[in-house]
């Protein structure tokens, strides 16, 4: 859901009335640092929470970020003033921080599930496989936006994030905290 929500970010921002210059300034600055900070804070926070709980918490934060894009679409196109640019920066910043947090937990989860004798190979395979669904699903994003409009598209992205979160019930149960294969 999160990946598909950002697949057409620049066309979305343009449709919302932002200029390319505003998008460049806001998106790059509001996206880079929250992502880096999210990754660093995610690592520290994950030590306290455990990998499984971090996957849950950070996944919910990423889901909330999708709703931020829906909120921006609901506001609709408007002249870009300082307040509107702040809204754009907040939406992009929350999404980038969520990605930083989520990536930290997901990479830790993949590292934990690899066999020590084959860690490099398995981690490379897992990260490659991680991109396959995203690549195929994102190919339909333009068509979906044309059919649904931006708001409904982002709501669909939020709905599409739910099965991944539900999968955590099986692969990363909340009540398992150990540092071994199960926690």
């Amino acid at each position: 859901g999160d990946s598909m929500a950002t697949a057409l970010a620049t066309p979305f921002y343009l449709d919302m009335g932002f200029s390319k210059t505003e998008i460049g300034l806001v998106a790059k600055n509001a996206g880079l640092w929250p992502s880096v900070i999210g990754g660093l804070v995610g690592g520290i926070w994950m030590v306290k929470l455990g990998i499984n709980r971090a996957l849950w918490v950070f996944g919910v934060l990423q889901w909330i970020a999708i709703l931020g894009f829906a909120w921006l679409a609901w506001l609709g196109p408007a002249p870009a003033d300082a307040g509107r640019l702040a809204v754009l920066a907040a939406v992009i910043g929350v999404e980038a921080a969520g990605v930083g947090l989520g990536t930290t937990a997901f990479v830790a989860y993949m590292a934990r599930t690899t066999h020590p004798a084959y860690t490099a190979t398995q981690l490379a395979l897992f990260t490659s496989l991680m991109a396959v669904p995203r690549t195929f699903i994102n190919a339909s994003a333009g068509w979906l936006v044309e059919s649904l409009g931006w708001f409904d598209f982002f709501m669909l992205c939020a709905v599409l994030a739910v099965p991944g979160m539900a999968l955590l019930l099986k692969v990363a149960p909340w009540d398992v905290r150990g540092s071994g294969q199960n926690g």
Side-chain angles (χ1 to χ4, degrees), residues 7-168:
L8 297 173
T10 300
F12 170 63
Y13 304 146
L14 290 169
D15 282 355
M16 293 299 105
F18 298 102
S19 71
K20 290 180 182 179
T21 302
E22 291 165 333
I23 294 166
L25 286 171
V26 173
K28 300 312 173 203
N29 290 310
L32 174 64
W33 295 112
S35 180
V36 171
I37 293 166
L40 294 171
V41 169
I44 295 166
W45 199 4
M46 188 174 50
V47 170
K48 289 188 170 283
L49 288 172
I51 294 172
N52 287 10
R53 289 182 181 176
L55 285 167
W56 281 94
V57 172
F58 302 166
V60 168
L61 292 174
Q62 283 185 287
W63 184 76
I64 290 169
I66 297 169
L67 296 177
F69 285 104
W71 176 55
L72 189 57
W74 178 78
L75 291 174
D81 59 11
R84 190 80 165 145
L85 289 175
V87 170
L88 178 64
V91 168
I92 292 171
V94 168
E95 195 276 332
V99 167
L101 292 165
T103 301
T104 300
F106 192 59
V107 169
Y109 172 78
M110 287 189 302
R112 182 186 71 196
T113 59
T114 60
H115 187 281
Y118 310 106
T119 302
T121 302
Q122 289 179 349
L123 204 52
L125 188 60
F126 286 156
T127 55
S128 297
L129 288 173
M130 175 180 76
V132 171
R134 171 179 70 211
T135 302
F136 287 109
I137 291 172
N138 286 357
S140 65
W143 178 82
L144 288 168
V145 169
E146 285 287 320
S147 300
L148 302 172
W150 286 113
F151 178 79
D152 290 339
F153 169 74
F154 290 122
M155 294 308 290
L156 175 64
C157 291
V159 169
L160 291 174
V162 172
M165 292 297 295
L167 186 61
L168 291 177

Side-chain angles (χ1 to χ4, degrees), residues 168-182:
L168 291 177
L169 291 167
K170 175 72 175 155
V171 300
W174 177 266
D175 58 346
V176 177
R177 278 197 48 101
S179 60
Q181 281 296 100
N182 295 325

